[in-house]
Amino acid sequence: MAKKRSTLRTILRRAIAPAALLIVGVFFGGYAIFGPNGALAYGDIERQLTVKQRELAMLDKNRADLKNRVALLDPRHADPDMVEELALKNLGVVHKDDMIVPLTK
């Protein structure tokens, strides 16, 4: 009986390291497939990328519009229409039904 116990202990001691490695391997393998950055999340990541690219395009357009407005207000050569628009707005004489008609030069 003592020999059976020692044999069982020896088998268990030898099996601990491979079992631990197997558990760790299964964990990381499962994470690589099912995790937030895993293989199954690829479609969701592509969808998020598309949404972020649209947001970036919109922000780039807004930035270009703001850059244009800033350039129109440059003190060295300010655009008279832009100056008038801002002056009327800041003085509080613009009504919500006012319409700005751009004139081509």
Side-chain angles (χ1 to χ4, degrees):
M1 185 105 174
K3 188 169 181 162
K4 263 190 176 179
R5 278 192 188 175
S6 66
T7 307
L8 184 60
R9 283 184 187 168
T10 305
I11 291 172
L12 288 177
R13 272 193 216 139
R14 289 183 184 172
I16 287 176
L21 289 175
L22 181 66
I23 290 170
V24 169
V26 167
F27 173 77
F28 284 115
Y31 194 78
I33 294 172
F34 301 109
N37 295 327
L40 295 181
Y42 183 72
D44 189 43
I45 291 170
E46 279 188 333
R47 184 190 57 77
Q48 289 176 2
L49 177 63
T50 304
V51 169
K52 295 296 182 185
Q53 285 174 337
R54 281 191 211 130
E55 288 178 14
L56 178 62
M58 184 182 68
L59 289 173
D60 281 343
K61 182 186 176 303
N62 289 346
R63 182 177 173 268
D65 291 344
L66 289 173
K67 190 175 182 180
N68 183 40
R69 288 180 65 93
V70 167
L72 291 174
L73 291 174
D74 186 5
R76 292 174 290 193
H77 49 81
D79 181 46
D81 293 330
M82 178 64 80
V83 172
E84 180 183 7
E85 179 186 336
L86 285 176
L88 291 174
K89 188 185 284 184
N90 288 337
L91 293 174
V93 293
V94 175
H95 300 283
K96 56 182 163 183
D97 61 345
D98 283 350
M99 184 183 304
I100 298 173
V101 179
L103 301 174
T104 58
K105 294 181 182 180

